[in-house]
């Protein structure tokens, strides 16, 4: 009798190791708190970018210090040589006066030798400090890089907490198709593919209603009645495929049905009835398809709970744009309609390229950029005249960003090189001409507010490390809206003639001086007056830059390493392209022979240091007006 319990206990002991482990503990956290953590992690990135900017400025200053130390050491060596020559002459004189002593037995060093040696020691001390600063800067950059990696891992971990599988919407979407088919007396089946792909929770929340409406439309307008499908040789039950896939930093959602496709003739008739099209106006298929997104537009013959109310498709497009995405439509008569929606993987953080236009910064999502091109003026002009360019078998129409932003008078400034970005969004392409590039940066997407949310082409806003507020643009959407012939104001602003603006001549001054301080002070003075300033540290550097550009006037010093100001003027006058370039000599050499020699080699004007700012600005303004004329 006692054997039974004993054997049962033994069996339990043997089974215990095979028991399933305890479930992983979970913790419920409010979504708002997770969002706040993600934003705070993003703010760490913003602060880091500010520190990186300060370190870049510090490195530039240290490089300038290095150049000055090298120049100072060379000048000191020349002083030492001169002092040595003087000492040798003194020794020779002493040899004639003191024949009883060997010249080396007399201490003939003067105060000049002592000073040069003390200065050499000081220069060595400054070099040691400078090298120490460079070493500390390298260490700071390494530490900042390590901190950036940890912050990025923290941010990605928090982002994973925000992600939800697309399948979390599956029950709602299946129910929408089932109820719509039952109300309309049709038969339809939904096939959901890629539901395990994870999407940002806020993206899913924003897109739930638009997806439901697209599915209702597919049943109401796309899928035919069972009898009509059988007559067309199709299966009695219509099929709707909803495919979700991840492409880089985007989520692609496609809703395709095997119905009748868009009734373009009925769309055109409804558009003419509402005055959207002229009675005899002929339009292409793309424009007719885009009419379904007009507010209040509907082709339903009767109003029901599912269709015919004239609301929905405009909201779909607006909410997709508010989520930073875009929607495209393709239709084939008798074969069905396909809606393609592309959304950002997350609305919190994105990689962007910072560009310049209209004197301020703008951000373009990096996943739209196919290629960045640096073009010379003749290549840019050829692109403008052709209204675009071909790249890898695709045509990219040309647009100038300030024009897309609404400034009809904006013109690009003359420059050695111009930046053009080749962009692609879905099937749409664009060659975007910008005024300048600031570089790549990971930014925290902020809510731009209700005033900007519904504007086509505005994907949000961000705050840079220096506090500047930058809007995140979708230039492809801006160009598509600008090219729409339904908008008369935009048609006049963004027509082909307006997209090839002539370059704006910005008065350019070249400042040539071996002194960094002089270059900075003169450059800031001229920039305050609206001039574009180019600097060169000596005559050789100036000639190298003059190969690709021709400024309106050159301001040059005389005494410079490698090539002095006289040789620079002589080379400019000997060049057929530059021989008429005005040159103003600014120097501390005020002797008459220097003035005469400057005039002989071809200098237009001679100023002494320190110069009067009013006199210099008057001279520059006179020569700039002459160059513009």
């Amino acid at each position: 009798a006692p054997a039974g319990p004993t054997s049962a206990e033994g069996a339990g002991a043997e089974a215990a190791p095979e028991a399933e482990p305890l479930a992983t503990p979970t913790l419920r956290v409010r979504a708002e708190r997770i969002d706040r953590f993600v934003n705070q992690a993003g703010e760490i990135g913003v602060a880091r970018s500010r520190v990186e900017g300060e370190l870049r400025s510090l490195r530039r200053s240290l490089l300038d210090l290095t150049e000055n130390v090298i120049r100072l050491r060379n000048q000191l060596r020349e002083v030492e040589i001169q002092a040595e020559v003087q000492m040798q002459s003194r020794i020779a004189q002493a040899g004639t006066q003191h024949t009883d002593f060997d010249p080396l037995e007399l201490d003939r060093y003067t105060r000049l030798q002592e000073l040069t040696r003390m200065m050499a020691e000081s220069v060595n001390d400054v070099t040691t400090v400078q090298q120490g600063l460079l070493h500390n800067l390298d260490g700071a950059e390494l530490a900042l890089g390590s901190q950036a990696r940890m912050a990025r891992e923290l941010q990605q971990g928090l982002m994973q907490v925000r992600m939800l599988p697309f399948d979390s919407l599956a029950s709602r979407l299946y129910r929408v198709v089932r109820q719509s088919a039952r109300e309309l007396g049709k038969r339809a089946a939904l096939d959901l593919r890629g539901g395990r792909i994870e999407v940002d929770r806020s993206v899913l929340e924003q897109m739930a209603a638009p997806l439901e409406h697209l599915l209702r439309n597919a049943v109401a307008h796309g899928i035919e009645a069972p009898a009509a499908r059988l007559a067309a040789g199709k299966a009695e039950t219509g099929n709707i495929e909803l495919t979700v896939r991840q492409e880089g930093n985007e989520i692609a959602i496609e809703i395709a049905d095997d119905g009748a496709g868009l009734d373009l003739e009925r769309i055109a008739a409804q558009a003419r009835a509402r005055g959207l099209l002229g009675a005899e106006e002929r339009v292409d298929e793309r424009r007719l398809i885009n009419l379904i997104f007009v507010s209040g537009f509907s082709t339903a013959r009767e109003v029901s709970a599912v269709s015919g109310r004239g609301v929905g498709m405009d909201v779909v497009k607006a909410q997709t744009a508010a989520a930073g995405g875009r929607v495209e439509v393709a239709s084939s008569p008798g074969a069905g309609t396909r809606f393609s929606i592309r959304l950002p993987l997350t609305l919190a953080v994105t990689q962007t390229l910072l560009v310049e236009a209209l004197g301020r910064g703008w951000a373009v999502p990096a996943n739209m950029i196919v290629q960045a091109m640096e073009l010379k003026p003749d290549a840019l002009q050829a692109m403008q005249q052709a209204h675009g360019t071909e790249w890898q078998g695709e045509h990219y129409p040309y647009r100038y960003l300030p024009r897309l932003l609404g400034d009809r008078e904006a013109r690009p400034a003359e420059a050695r090189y111009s930046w053009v970005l080749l962009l692609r969004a879905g099937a749409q392409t664009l060659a975007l001409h910008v005024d300048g590039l600031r570089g790549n940066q990971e930014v925290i997407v902020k809510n731009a507010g209700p005033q900007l949310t519904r504007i086509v082409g505005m994907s949000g806003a961000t705050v840079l490390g220096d506090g500047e507020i930058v809007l995140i643009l979708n230039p492809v959407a801006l160009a598509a809206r600008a090219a729409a012939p339904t908008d008369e104001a935009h048609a006049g602003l963004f027509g082909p003639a307006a997209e090839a603006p002539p370059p704006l001549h910005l008065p350019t001054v070249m400042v040539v001086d071996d002194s960094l301080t002089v270059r900075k002070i003169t450059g800031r003075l001229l920039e305050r007056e609206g001039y574009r300033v180019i600097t060169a540290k000596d005559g050789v550097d100036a000639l190298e830059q003059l190969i690709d550009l021709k400024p309106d006037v050159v301001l040059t010093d005389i005494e410079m390493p490698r090539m002095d100001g006289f040789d620079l003027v002589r080379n400019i006058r000997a060049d057929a392209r530059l021989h008429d370039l005005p040159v103003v000599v600014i120097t501390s050499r005020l002797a008459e022979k220097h003035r005469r020699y400057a005039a002989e080699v071809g200098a237009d004007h001679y100023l002494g240091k320190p110069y009067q700012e009013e006199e210099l600005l008057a001279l520059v303004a006179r020569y700039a007006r002459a160059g513009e004329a």
Side-chain angles (χ1 to χ4, degrees):
T6 305
S7 61
E9 290 173 5
E14 293 176 359
E18 300 178 2
E20 294 184 0
L22 293 175
T24 303
T26 59
L27 180 66
R28 297 183 63 181
V29 181
R30 296 176 62 87
E32 293 80 2
R33 181 168 296 180
I34 296 296
D35 293 342
R36 188 168 68 250
F37 289 160
V38 172
N39 287 332
Q40 289 172 348
E43 294 299 333
I44 293 176
V46 173
R48 186 188 70 247
S49 65
R50 181 174 183 179
V51 176
E52 289 174 345
E54 295 294 337
L55 288 181
R56 284 194 296 268
S57 300
L58 181 58
R59 182 170 289 278
R60 285 194 297 267
S61 299
L62 283 176
L63 291 177
D64 292 337
L65 176 61
T66 302
E67 291 183 2
N68 282 277
V69 169
I70 293 173
R71 190 173 72 245
L72 180 60
R73 182 179 286 114
N74 293 334
Q75 294 170 350
L76 181 60
R77 181 58 185 158
E78 292 182 5
V79 173
E80 288 179 338
I81 292 173
Q82 294 297 325
E84 194 72 22
V85 170
Q86 291 183 10
M87 186 182 71
Q88 292 297 336
S89 65
R90 287 175 179 272
I91 289 176
Q93 293 177 5
T96 60
Q97 298 174 4
H98 306 280
T99 56
D100 297 336
F101 294 95
D102 186 272
L104 296 179
E105 294 178 342
L106 294 175
D107 186 6
R108 298 297 180 184
Y109 289 100
T110 65
R111 181 61 176 168
L112 180 59
Q113 274 82 34
E114 295 176 5
L115 289 175
T116 55
R117 277 159 177 73
M118 288 189 291
M119 289 175 64
E121 292 177 0
S122 299
V123 170
N124 290 332
D125 293 341
V126 172
T127 303
T128 302
V129 174
Q130 177 254 345
Q131 291 175 348
L133 289 174
L134 280 175
H135 179 73
N136 294 339
L137 182 61
D138 292 337
E141 290 180 341
L142 287 175
L144 190 63
S146 175
Q147 190 265 352
R149 287 192 296 272
M150 291 187 290
R152 190 171 293 110
E153 291 176 2
L154 170 63
Q155 199 171 59
Q156 291 174 350
L158 289 172
M159 292 304 304
Q160 290 298 321
V161 177
R162 286 171 54 112
M163 307 297 271
L164 292 176
F166 192 86
D167 274 339
S168 58
L169 290 180
S171 59
R172 293 175 58 178
L173 301 180
Y174 284 124
R175 184 170 61 252
V176 166
V177 173
R178 190 168 55 247
Q179 290 178 349
S180 300
R182 183 169 58 246
E183 292 175 4
L184 296 172
K186 298 180 179 181
R187 303 188 64 178
L190 174 63
D191 183 10
L192 177 58
R193 301 178 181 180
R196 291 189 176 182
I197 291 179
E198 293 188 334
V199 189
D200 192 296
R201 177 185 60 82
S202 56
V203 176
L204 271 184
E205 290 178 353
Q206 283 188 256
M207 293 307 299
L211 291 175
E212 291 178 357
H213 186 82
L214 288 175
L215 292 176
R216 291 193 192 97
N217 265 10
V219 176
H221 298 286
I223 302 298
E224 308 95 331
R229 291 184 63 85
L230 291 174
K234 300 180 180 180
E236 186 178 7
T237 301
N239 186 43
I240 303 175
E241 289 186 0
L242 196 158
T243 306
V244 184
R245 61 180 182 273
Q246 182 176 344
E247 297 179 353
N249 289 329
E250 286 187 322
I251 295 294
I253 303 175
E254 289 188 354
I255 299 178
D257 62 68
D258 61 351
L262 294 177
D263 189 347
L264 298 180
E265 293 183 359
R266 183 160 182 78
I267 291 175
Q270 285 291 100
R272 289 188 174 93
R274 292 191 53 186
L276 298 175
L277 294 177
E280 302 297 330
E281 184 178 355
R282 299 182 62 182
V283 292
D284 57 6
E285 178 180 334
R286 179 183 173 186
R287 184 178 173 192
L288 286 175
I289 291 177
N290 286 334
L291 286 174
I292 67 175
F293 294 107
V294 175
S295 178
F297 190 88
S298 177
T299 58
R301 289 176 169 81
E302 58 183 17
V303 177
S304 68
V306 180
S307 65
R309 293 169 293 170
V311 295
M313 291 307 296
D314 59 324
V315 177
V316 168
K317 188 169 185 178
Q319 290 193 353
T320 302
R326 56 194 182 277
V327 57
E328 300 169 0
V329 188
S331 178
S332 179
T337 307
R338 180 182 300 271
F339 286 85
S340 299
I341 299 176
R342 293 181 178 271
L343 300 166
L345 187 61
T346 174
L347 295 183
V349 181
T350 185
Q351 288 286 342
T352 63
L353 176 65
L354 298 180
V355 303
E356 291 183 354
L358 298 176
R360 58 164 301 162
W362 310 83
V364 177
N367 56 5
M368 300 178 61
I369 301 174
V370 179
Q371 182 76 5
M373 306 173 68
E374 192 177 19
L375 302 180
K376 289 187 176 181
D378 53 350
L380 178 65
Q381 186 177 7
M383 181 183 293
Q384 291 175 338
Q385 292 175 350
H387 304 301
T389 185
E390 299 291 331
W391 195 77
Q392 293 189 347
E394 288 187 284
H395 179 71
Y396 290 80
Y398 170 87
R399 292 291 188 272
Y400 182 45
L401 180 55
R403 295 290 179 97
L404 291 182
L405 295 171
D407 188 347
R408 66 174 66 233
E409 303 297 332
R411 290 190 296 164
E414 288 182 343
R416 297 171 60 186
Y417 298 99
S418 300
W419 285 102
V420 175
L421 306 178
L422 301 185
L423 309 179
R424 182 191 293 118
Q428 296 176 308
T429 57
L430 178 68
L432 184 69
H433 180 192
V434 299
D435 292 334
L437 300 185
R438 294 188 184 179
N440 291 312
Q441 186 165 332
E442 186 178 72
V443 300
I444 314 304
V445 181
K446 303 288 187 180
N447 185 5
Q451 296 85 356
L452 298 177
T453 300
R454 292 181 176 271
I455 296 180
V456 176
M458 297 292 178
S459 302
T462 187
V463 182
L464 301 184
D466 58 359
E468 180 184 2
I469 297 175
V470 171
L471 292 179
I472 303 173
L473 302 178
N474 182 346
V476 177
L478 283 174
R481 176 173 181 263
T486 53
D487 192 338
E488 296 180 1
H490 282 90
L493 177 56
F494 301 102
E499 285 306 336
L504 177 66
H505 178 76
L506 189 64
T508 305
V509 182
M510 174 178 278
V511 178
V512 188
D513 201 301
D514 59 334
S515 170
L516 175 65
T517 304
V518 172
R519 293 200 301 269
K520 285 188 174 182
I521 292 176
T522 308
R524 289 171 183 168
L525 170 66
L526 295 170
E527 285 174 350
R528 285 200 304 266
E529 298 297 322
Y531 296 102
R532 184 160 62 105
V533 179
I534 302 167
T535 60
K537 57 188 177 183
D538 55 41
V540 175
D541 186 18
L543 288 178
E544 289 175 352
Q545 297 190 50
L546 288 172
I547 294 174
D548 296 321
L549 60 88
K550 183 180 179 182
D552 292 278
V553 60
V554 173
L555 310 180
T556 181
D557 189 16
I558 290 181
E559 295 172 305
M560 296 180 293
R562 295 201 294 177
M563 180 183 291
D564 61 24
F566 292 141
D567 287 337
L568 173 61
V569 178
R570 192 180 295 108
N571 279 276
I572 289 175
R573 294 294 175 250
D575 191 318
R577 184 176 64 90
L578 304 173
H579 74 278
D580 60 343
L581 179 60
V583 179
V584 177
V585 174
I586 304 177
T587 179
S588 57
R589 300 293 184 180
L590 302 179
E592 187 61 30
K593 63 179 181 179
H594 292 97
R595 292 178 179 271
R596 283 199 307 268
Y597 190 67
E600 290 174 4
V601 296
D604 295 272
H605 206 86
Y606 199 95
L607 285 181
K609 292 181 181 178
Y611 55 80
Q612 295 294 323
E613 292 185 359
E614 295 79 6
E615 184 181 5
L616 176 65
L617 293 176
L619 277 174
V620 171
R622 187 178 75 191
Y623 290 128
R625 284 195 300 269
E628 187 175 356

